[in-house]
Amino acid sequence: MLDHDVIIVGGGLAGSRAALEIAQSNPNLSVAIVAKTHPIRSHSVAAQGGMAATLKNVDETDTWEAHAFDTVKGSDYLADQDAVEILTREAPDVVIDLEHMGVLFSRLPDGRIAQRAFGGHSHNRTCYAADKTGHAILHELVNNLKRNGVKVYDEWYVMRLILEEGQAKGLVMYRILDGQIEIVRAKAVMFATGGYGRAFNTTSNDYASTGDGLAMTAIAGLPLEDMEFVQFHPTGLYPVGVLISEAVRGEGAYLINSEGDRFMATYAPSRMELAPRDITSRAITREIRAGRGIHLDGRAGGPFVYLDLRHMGKEKIMSRVPFCWEEAHRLVGVDAVTQPMPVRPTIHYSMGGIPTNTDGQVRSSAEGLVEGFFAAGEAACVSVHGANRLGSNSLLECVVYGRRTGRAIAQYIQNRKLPDLDEAPYRQQAQQQMQALLDQPGQYRIAQIRQAFQDCMTDYCGVFRTEDLMRQGLDQLQTIRQQAQNIYLDDKAKNWNTELIEALELQSLLIVGEVILSSAIQRKESRGAHCREDYPDRDDTNCLQHTLAYYSPAEVDIRHMPVSITLFQPQERKY
Ligand SMILES: Cc1cc2nc3c(=O)[nH]c(=O)nc-3n(C[C@H](O)[C@H](O)[C@H](O)COP(=O)(O)OP(=O)(O)OC[C@H]3O[C@@H](n4cnc5c(N)ncnc54)[C@H](O)[C@@H]3O)c2cc1C
């Protein structure tokens, strides 16, 4: 058994920032990060457009209150406002902090950090490093991990959270290199395992975004919060789904339909292309449904719309959004200086997740907390995004709540001993589970089941939803779940068996998918990203509350939790 004071799952922005905070609070602590990828390959590295903070470098009239209001309005009033206040108040400080660590933000001519416009933000407040912001931040954080003595287990897959009598005691993990199973014991366990974009068939997320942390939490009997809120990013490159950052619209690009119209004038006249993502994604989907999408040969009636950068000019495109230009050029052969890019909505972000309080401690219910268990970043739901996240607020959340959770953990473990833990049954079960997967005869390939599952989620729980559609989806999911018991693996090796990892990831995805569908069916209103054609209005009387979904193989049990409303009363959401 391995012992650490703290073990953190996930080496993205949230996990790395927390680890640094703990290690710096006391150099004698043993802090470890475990990640199934190398930390540098966490999805955070792909973040493009930037990170919001009211530095006031471009717009002196900006305030944290304005940032908080934009965030709460963007969330369709479901965000917890005490958590939003912390997020927006601490934002300038965490940016300066990153800068002092060595992050190279883009500059204004006078040397101060530059800030650009972003969807749903009323001021130019998004700090960025061209369109490679995640890359710039994550590289510095990971460099700093080494400097601060954080132990990194990279390319280990965490299979299970060890939770006994309401206390997190450690993890079961599997070394991908050689199939070794280890039990880790710790005074505090933290999950920073990112999102689940791979639950859908078109996504901006990386292959590792399979919701493992959410599934492990659910299997341990703990709730997941607000899982019905799945963000579609309006501009996924057609047909691959890869992200074209909102920064492109922040820098002035237009959305155009087959008739050459800037159709956002119909949907959000005051914000146009910089409306929040839920509204823009629905607008694009409606245009495509109405026959005003475009085909690859330019005819009307096709599956995408255009994102037009041409009027921005080569110099601006190449200096502000060079990576997006390169992606379109490399992946679909479009030169955005002279041609519009084909785009349509793509699955992007998980607003819901593991419920936590504002110190990152995981909730066991609306009132209770789990001893020794913390979470932050996209995997967590402290609920700063409510029903719809604003662009550039996620990197911010990772860093603000990564740092806060790190601080809380450093406090929590003071004067605590390592928990008592008998590792033998956990090791034995994990070995049996892996061997069973290798041995089972099975009749389905993993890719076949995964594709059927991703199509099911996309078709039955997409941009527009109805009860009928989602019930059909849930039925289909039961069949897929049974088939998934019956997969076979070609690769029987112990070393570097990625097929075995894919089998485990598929199990995570199926659990997450079931929780999303069950949560979405019970929310009988339209709010933020959750758009029900059978309940088109927001219903503050009956539905202004968080969903807490408890998973079991037999059913998903839904309960609720109140929303914290401390700053702004709900009002109609118009742009
Ligand atoms: C293409 C793209 C662009 C984006 N651009 C922006 C932007 O400009 N601004 C913004 O605010 N947000 C942006 N986002 C969102 C933002 O990047 C993410 O929400 C955020 O980076 C998530 O960070 P994280 O630390 O929570 O998780 P991640 O960075 O996803 O890291 C998850 C970690 O968990 C590990 N892990 C997961 N499961 C296991 C397991 N079973 N065992 C071991 N390890 C595991 C992974 O290996 C990884 O290290 C973007 C997202 C995408 C996909």
Short mmCIF file of all heavy atoms in Angstrom, two decimals, residues 331-357:
data_model
loop_
_atom_site.label_atom_id
_atom_site.label_comp_id
_atom_site.label_asym_id
_atom_site.label_seq_id
_atom_site.Cartn_x
_atom_site.Cartn_y
_atom_site.Cartn_z
N LEU A 331 -7.50 20.56 -40.72
CA LEU A 331 -8.50 19.49 -40.59
C LEU A 331 -9.55 19.48 -41.70
O LEU A 331 -10.04 18.42 -42.06
CB LEU A 331 -9.20 19.59 -39.23
CG LEU A 331 -8.27 19.39 -38.02
CD1 LEU A 331 -8.99 19.75 -36.73
CD2 LEU A 331 -7.78 17.95 -37.95
N VAL A 332 -9.92 20.65 -42.21
CA VAL A 332 -10.94 20.64 -43.27
C VAL A 332 -10.52 21.46 -44.50
O VAL A 332 -11.35 21.71 -45.39
CB VAL A 332 -12.32 21.12 -42.75
CG1 VAL A 332 -12.83 20.19 -41.66
CG2 VAL A 332 -12.30 22.54 -42.22
N GLY A 333 -9.26 21.88 -44.54
CA GLY A 333 -8.74 22.53 -45.74
C GLY A 333 -9.32 23.91 -46.03
O GLY A 333 -9.35 24.34 -47.17
N VAL A 334 -9.79 24.60 -44.96
CA VAL A 334 -10.35 25.94 -45.16
C VAL A 334 -9.33 27.00 -44.74
O VAL A 334 -8.78 26.93 -43.64
CB VAL A 334 -11.65 26.10 -44.33
CG1 VAL A 334 -12.04 27.57 -44.21
CG2 VAL A 334 -12.78 25.30 -44.95
N ASP A 335 -9.06 27.96 -45.62
CA ASP A 335 -8.20 29.09 -45.28
C ASP A 335 -9.10 30.24 -44.84
O ASP A 335 -9.73 30.90 -45.67
CB ASP A 335 -7.37 29.49 -46.50
CG ASP A 335 -6.55 30.75 -46.23
OD1 ASP A 335 -6.67 31.32 -45.12
OD2 ASP A 335 -5.81 31.17 -47.14
N ALA A 336 -9.18 30.45 -43.51
CA ALA A 336 -10.17 31.38 -42.96
C ALA A 336 -9.91 32.83 -43.36
O ALA A 336 -10.78 33.68 -43.18
CB ALA A 336 -10.22 31.26 -41.45
N VAL A 337 -8.75 33.12 -43.93
CA VAL A 337 -8.50 34.48 -44.40
C VAL A 337 -9.35 34.77 -45.63
O VAL A 337 -9.84 35.88 -45.82
CB VAL A 337 -6.98 34.67 -44.71
CG1 VAL A 337 -6.73 36.04 -45.33
CG2 VAL A 337 -6.16 34.49 -43.44
N THR A 338 -9.59 33.72 -46.42
CA THR A 338 -10.33 33.93 -47.67
C THR A 338 -11.64 33.13 -47.76
O THR A 338 -12.45 33.35 -48.64
CB THR A 338 -9.46 33.51 -48.88
OG1 THR A 338 -9.06 32.15 -48.69
CG2 THR A 338 -8.24 34.40 -49.00
N GLN A 339 -11.84 32.17 -46.81
CA GLN A 339 -13.05 31.33 -46.88
C GLN A 339 -13.73 31.27 -45.51
O GLN A 339 -13.04 31.26 -44.49
CB GLN A 339 -12.68 29.89 -47.25
CG GLN A 339 -12.04 29.71 -48.61
CD GLN A 339 -11.39 28.33 -48.71
OE1 GLN A 339 -10.35 28.09 -48.11
NE2 GLN A 339 -12.02 27.42 -49.44
N PRO A 340 -15.08 31.18 -45.47
CA PRO A 340 -15.74 31.00 -44.17
C PRO A 340 -15.57 29.57 -43.66
O PRO A 340 -15.41 28.64 -44.46
CB PRO A 340 -17.20 31.29 -44.48
CG PRO A 340 -17.36 30.99 -45.92
CD PRO A 340 -16.04 31.24 -46.59
N MET A 341 -15.60 29.39 -42.34
CA MET A 341 -15.43 28.05 -41.76
C MET A 341 -16.80 27.39 -41.57
O MET A 341 -17.73 28.04 -41.08
CB MET A 341 -14.82 28.14 -40.36
CG MET A 341 -13.43 28.66 -40.28
SD MET A 341 -13.00 28.62 -38.51
CE MET A 341 -11.40 29.41 -38.55
N PRO A 342 -16.94 26.10 -41.86
CA PRO A 342 -18.20 25.39 -41.57
C PRO A 342 -18.25 24.99 -40.09
O PRO A 342 -17.34 24.34 -39.59
CB PRO A 342 -18.11 24.14 -42.45
CG PRO A 342 -16.64 23.90 -42.63
CD PRO A 342 -15.94 25.23 -42.49
N VAL A 343 -19.31 25.41 -39.39
CA VAL A 343 -19.40 25.10 -37.95
C VAL A 343 -20.81 24.66 -37.56
O VAL A 343 -21.79 25.03 -38.22
CB VAL A 343 -19.03 26.32 -37.06
CG1 VAL A 343 -17.56 26.68 -37.23
CG2 VAL A 343 -19.92 27.52 -37.34
N ARG A 344 -20.90 23.91 -36.50
CA ARG A 344 -22.19 23.59 -35.87
C ARG A 344 -21.91 23.21 -34.41
O ARG A 344 -20.76 22.94 -34.04
CB ARG A 344 -22.91 22.49 -36.62
CG ARG A 344 -22.27 21.14 -36.47
CD ARG A 344 -23.21 20.07 -37.00
NE ARG A 344 -22.56 18.78 -37.00
CZ ARG A 344 -23.10 17.70 -37.54
NH1 ARG A 344 -24.27 17.75 -38.11
NH2 ARG A 344 -22.45 16.56 -37.50
N PRO A 345 -22.95 23.18 -33.56
CA PRO A 345 -22.73 22.93 -32.14
C PRO A 345 -22.04 21.59 -31.86
O PRO A 345 -22.30 20.60 -32.54
CB PRO A 345 -24.13 22.98 -31.54
CG PRO A 345 -24.90 23.86 -32.46
CD PRO A 345 -24.36 23.53 -33.83
N THR A 346 -21.20 21.59 -30.85
CA THR A 346 -20.46 20.39 -30.45
C THR A 346 -20.47 20.30 -28.93
O THR A 346 -20.44 21.34 -28.25
CB THR A 346 -19.02 20.45 -31.01
OG1 THR A 346 -18.34 19.22 -30.77
CG2 THR A 346 -18.20 21.57 -30.38
N ILE A 347 -20.52 19.08 -28.39
CA ILE A 347 -20.54 18.94 -26.92
C ILE A 347 -19.24 19.44 -26.33
O ILE A 347 -18.16 19.07 -26.81
CB ILE A 347 -20.74 17.46 -26.52
CG1 ILE A 347 -22.12 17.00 -26.90
CG2 ILE A 347 -20.52 17.27 -25.02
CD1 ILE A 347 -23.24 17.59 -26.10
N HIS A 348 -19.36 20.24 -25.29
CA HIS A 348 -18.16 20.96 -24.86
C HIS A 348 -17.87 20.87 -23.37
O HIS A 348 -16.73 20.75 -22.96
CB HIS A 348 -18.34 22.42 -25.25
CG HIS A 348 -17.13 23.27 -25.00
ND1 HIS A 348 -15.91 22.99 -25.56
CD2 HIS A 348 -16.97 24.40 -24.26
CE1 HIS A 348 -15.03 23.91 -25.17
NE2 HIS A 348 -15.64 24.77 -24.37
N TYR A 349 -18.92 20.96 -22.52
CA TYR A 349 -18.61 21.19 -21.12
C TYR A 349 -19.72 20.66 -20.22
O TYR A 349 -20.90 20.68 -20.58
CB TYR A 349 -18.46 22.70 -20.88
CG TYR A 349 -18.06 23.04 -19.47
CD1 TYR A 349 -16.73 22.96 -19.08
CD2 TYR A 349 -19.02 23.43 -18.53
CE1 TYR A 349 -16.36 23.25 -17.78
CE2 TYR A 349 -18.66 23.72 -17.24
CZ TYR A 349 -17.32 23.63 -16.87
OH TYR A 349 -16.95 23.92 -15.58
N SER A 350 -19.31 20.24 -19.02
CA SER A 350 -20.25 19.70 -18.06
C SER A 350 -20.51 20.73 -16.97
O SER A 350 -19.63 21.00 -16.15
CB SER A 350 -19.63 18.45 -17.43
OG SER A 350 -20.26 18.14 -16.23
N MET A 351 -21.71 21.30 -16.96
CA MET A 351 -22.01 22.27 -15.88
C MET A 351 -22.18 21.55 -14.55
O MET A 351 -21.86 22.08 -13.50
CB MET A 351 -23.30 23.04 -16.19
CG MET A 351 -23.10 24.37 -16.84
SD MET A 351 -22.73 24.27 -18.59
CE MET A 351 -24.26 23.76 -19.30
N GLY A 352 -22.73 20.35 -14.59
CA GLY A 352 -22.95 19.60 -13.35
C GLY A 352 -21.70 18.88 -12.92
O GLY A 352 -20.64 19.03 -13.51
N GLY A 353 -21.85 18.07 -11.85
CA GLY A 353 -20.69 17.30 -11.40
C GLY A 353 -20.82 16.89 -9.95
O GLY A 353 -21.93 16.78 -9.41
N ILE A 354 -19.66 16.68 -9.31
CA ILE A 354 -19.64 16.22 -7.92
C ILE A 354 -19.95 17.44 -7.04
O ILE A 354 -19.21 18.43 -7.07
CB ILE A 354 -18.24 15.66 -7.58
CG1 ILE A 354 -17.86 14.54 -8.56
CG2 ILE A 354 -18.19 15.19 -6.13
CD1 ILE A 354 -16.38 14.14 -8.52
N PRO A 355 -21.03 17.39 -6.26
CA PRO A 355 -21.40 18.58 -5.49
C PRO A 355 -20.38 18.89 -4.40
O PRO A 355 -19.96 17.99 -3.67
CB PRO A 355 -22.75 18.20 -4.87
CG PRO A 355 -22.83 16.72 -4.91
CD PRO A 355 -21.98 16.27 -6.07
N THR A 356 -19.99 20.16 -4.30
CA THR A 356 -19.06 20.55 -3.23
C THR A 356 -19.55 21.84 -2.58
O THR A 356 -20.33 22.58 -3.17
CB THR A 356 -17.64 20.85 -3.76
OG1 THR A 356 -17.68 22.04 -4.54
CG2 THR A 356 -17.10 19.71 -4.59
N ASN A 357 -19.02 22.10 -1.37
CA ASN A 357 -19.23 23.43 -0.78
C ASN A 357 -18.13 24.36 -1.31
O ASN A 357 -17.31 23.95 -2.15
CB ASN A 357 -19.27 23.35 0.75
CG ASN A 357 -17.91 22.98 1.36
OD1 ASN A 357 -16.89 22.93 0.67
ND2 ASN A 357 -17.89 22.71 2.67
#
